[in-house]
Amino acid sequence: MAEASRTFHTILLPSFSHLHKAQSPAGFTDFPRKRCGHRIVVHCSVSTTNDASRTKTTVTQNTIPWGCEIDSLENASTLQKWLSDSGLPPQKMAIQKVDVGERGLVALKNIRKGEKLLFVPPSLVITADSKWSCPEAGEVLKQCSVPDWPLLATYLISEASFEKSSRWSNYISALPRQPYSLLYWTRAELDRYLEASQIRERAIERITNVIGTYNDLRLRIFSKYPDLFPEEVFNMETFKWSFGILFSRLVRLPSMDGRVALVPWADMLNHSCEVETFLDYDKSSQGVVFTTDQQYQPGEQVFISYGKKSNGELLLSYGFVPREGTNPSDSVELPLSLKKSDKCYKEKLEALRKYGLSASECFPIQITGWPLELMAYAYLVVSPPSMKGKFEEMAAAASNKMTSKKDIKYPEIDEQALQFILDSCESSISKYSRFLQVKELL
């Protein structure tokens, strides 16, 4: 689904939500410790290339034994035949190699603007309620109140390990053996390619969260049920794979109460910044659909939107960025901070904390401008002691929690506020000098 242009672009990123951490269970239920039949035992090892000039990762010989190469059409026809036999209606699209992304869905017939496509039935959608090939494993996780994300990650590994015995084998065979994901980047690559970018910190945080989630599951569940969750199958490398798949393919369906799901076939659609249509469940047709917002001729790739996200958000979640200058939602995040030398530092910090802000905040900047909250924060930073009575108003505007109009203006400190923003921009830009100098040498 996220197999789009791999053009690399260093960027600052608006904040991204954390991975859900597994909650501590109320208690364990004793289930029979028997090994589910037909499970294969695998030994996995994945590493990234040491060639710093490349942004793709390279798989070693001991790799994930399921799936296919990320640009391969292997098993595509088998997947579509299985989906059709399982209830997917005839499609106007087919999986082909494409210019934007390694694989994508291409129109086979004329497609009108406003036409509904896909109609993937709920029986072909993977959710937290999907039936396990090893029911005992699923029951253990549900008894332990494992949240949807780690539950689905474990489910995907479990079903993959059953190969042909799993009803999802044709789908898993068509998934990339190694998804494009920052989860596969080494710390050295993060430091090198994301130098001075705040996405670097979020990428490290995401990797840390995935590792922490796996270690939590291993400690309190997998180690207690080794027959159901053998380490040869459920290990850090397979979880890196499963979370990479989830980050790049999991969708939230608004009409199904926001439920997250993997939607086979639909997840072969690539992202375009020029479309606004998205996947959702259609109650009338009882299937996952999307409504085209443009027409397509036979042979043209059909796109959906993954949301109005910055290049950094797309890289963090999906492992790609659009070609430079093509994303109208692109933005960089500008860090602003109170000056500790400010005579009113404590008063300003108290006002910020009252509205859920801190002494250091980040605000997105686009080519078209910046949010009003950023200007309000800048006003607060440069405001003199004589404006102490306005501190709370500025903090409220910076937090977007004002009950009255939030486009506040203080002409007497306009110049100082704009100069502070300019200085902050120049400080952030200067941090890229080393990266740009290295890039020129490559």
Side-chain angles (χ1 to χ4, degrees):
M1 183 174 184
E3 298 161 3
S5 172
R6 309 298 160 185
T7 306
F8 183 81
H9 180 61
T10 304
I11 189 167
L12 299 172
L13 167 73
S15 61
F16 199 87
S17 58
H18 296 293
L19 200 71
H20 291 298
K21 294 289 287 182
Q23 301 173 354
S24 298
F28 287 88
T29 300
D30 289 329
F31 292 92
R33 294 195 179 190
K34 66 179 182 180
R35 183 178 300 276
C36 293
H38 300 100
R39 186 190 297 281
I40 63 170
V41 176
V42 298
H43 296 272
C44 304
S45 174
V46 179
S47 64
T48 56
T49 176
N50 291 323
D51 181 358
S53 67
R54 297 174 61 191
T55 58
K56 279 187 177 181
T57 51
T58 303
V59 187
T60 60
Q61 286 186 337
N62 296 322
T63 186
I64 302 298
W66 47 74
C68 61
E69 293 303 316
I70 201 164
D71 60 349
S72 174
L73 296 181
E74 175 187 357
N75 300 323
S77 60
T78 302
L79 171 63
Q80 186 167 6
K81 181 179 186 305
W82 171 73
L83 289 169
S84 299
D85 293 343
S86 302
L88 183 72
Q91 299 289 300
K92 287 189 173 183
M93 301 173 292
I95 300 176
Q96 294 182 16
K97 289 189 176 182
V98 290
D99 293 333
V100 180
E102 281 77 7
R103 302 179 298 183
L105 293 186
V106 173
L108 297 176
K109 302 178 180 179
N110 288 318
I111 296 175
R112 305 183 308 275
K113 179 180 179 180
E115 186 172 352
K116 288 185 178 180
L117 299 175
L118 292 179
F119 302 98
V120 181
S123 60
L124 294 177
V125 174
I126 297 176
T127 69
D129 296 328
S130 293
K131 184 179 179 180
W132 291 61
S133 295
C134 181
E136 297 90 345
E139 285 300 316
V140 167
L141 295 183
K142 291 176 182 178
Q143 287 289 330
C144 294
S145 301
V146 175
D148 286 355
W149 271 75
L151 178 70
L152 285 169
T154 309
Y155 178 81
L156 201 57
I157 297 169
S158 179
E159 294 304 306
S161 70
F162 276 88
E163 292 192 311
K164 295 297 182 180
S165 299
S166 169
R167 73 175 296 244
W168 302 109
S169 63
N170 290 308
Y171 170 60
I172 293 171
S173 294
L175 292 175
R177 186 173 294 120
Q178 180 174 310
Y180 282 118
S181 173
L182 291 182
L183 296 178
Y184 287 97
W185 287 30
T186 65
R187 183 60 177 266
E189 288 170 329
L190 292 172
D191 291 342
R192 180 179 179 85
Y193 295 112
L194 299 179
E195 182 179 357
S197 172
Q198 290 171 353
I199 189 181
R200 172 184 169 276
E201 297 302 320
R202 294 196 171 93
I204 293 172
E205 182 179 42
R206 173 158 293 188
I207 293 169
T208 301
N209 283 338
V210 170
I211 294 172
T213 298
Y214 165 71
N215 286 334
D216 176 66
L217 292 173
R218 179 176 56 83
L219 178 65
R220 63 186 186 85
I221 300 178
F222 297 165
S223 63
K224 291 179 170 59
Y225 300 93
D227 291 338
L228 297 178
F229 305 101
E231 189 174 358
E232 296 86 355
V233 174
F234 299 89
N235 53 61
M236 190 62 250
E237 298 305 334
T238 56
F239 266 82
K240 189 185 297 183
W241 171 80
S242 63
F243 270 107
I245 294 295
L246 294 185
F247 283 135
S248 62
R249 293 170 178 267
L250 201 66
V251 296
R252 190 175 297 277
L253 302 173
S255 296
M256 292 184 71
D257 300 321
R259 172 172 291 190
V260 292
L262 288 169
V263 187
W265 188 250
D267 62 5
M268 294 293 177
L269 287 162
N270 285 319
H271 168 81
S272 172
C273 300
E274 298 178 355
V275 303
E276 297 184 357
T277 187
F278 56 90
L279 296 176
D280 198 6
Y281 179 72
D282 182 60
K283 295 180 180 178
S284 61
S285 61
Q286 297 185 338
V288 176
V289 304
F290 75 100
T291 304
T292 59
D293 56 5
Q294 65 184 57
Q295 64 180 13
Y296 295 95
Q297 302 296 324
E300 290 184 329
Q301 184 177 182
V302 181
F303 295 99
I304 62 169
S305 172
Y306 295 174
K308 295 182 178 181
K309 303 178 184 295
S310 70
N311 285 2
E313 288 176 297
L314 292 170
L315 177 62
L316 184 63
S317 293
Y318 303 103
F320 74 91
V321 292
R323 291 187 177 89
E324 188 172 1
T326 63
N327 183 6
S329 299
D330 193 17
S331 64
V332 295
E333 195 171 71
L334 179 66
L336 301 179
S337 300
L338 288 178
K339 299 175 182 178
K340 290 188 177 181
S341 60
D342 193 324
K343 294 180 180 179
C344 298
Y345 179 83
K346 291 183 178 179
E347 291 86 348
K348 292 178 180 181
L349 180 58
E350 182 179 350
L352 288 170
R353 286 176 174 172
K354 183 176 180 179
Y355 291 94
L357 299 177
S358 66
S360 297
E361 292 291 336
C362 292
F363 299 89
I365 295 182
Q366 293 183 305
I367 294 178
T368 54
W370 57 56
L372 298 173
E373 291 82 2
L374 182 152
M375 194 66 189
Y377 196 98
Y379 277 139
L380 179 62
V381 172
V382 303
S383 56
S386 60
M387 299 184 70
K388 188 176 295 187
K390 298 291 185 180
F391 288 175
E392 187 169 327
E393 179 183 59
M394 296 174 186
S399 68
N400 196 20
K401 293 182 180 179
M402 288 191 70
T403 55
S404 58
K405 68 172 186 176
K406 64 177 181 178
D407 187 10
I408 59 175
K409 292 186 180 298
Y410 303 100
E412 65 271 35
I413 57 173
D414 259 348
E415 185 176 346
Q416 296 96 308
L418 292 172
Q419 185 62 52
F420 170 69
I421 294 172
L422 177 60
D423 292 343
S424 299
C425 288
E426 289 179 343
S427 176
S428 292
I429 291 172
S430 67
K431 296 176 183 178
Y432 283 89
S433 59
R434 179 184 171 190
F435 172 81
L436 294 175
Q437 289 172 359
V438 172
K439 185 178 179 182
E440 289 177 357
L441 296 175
L442 296 178

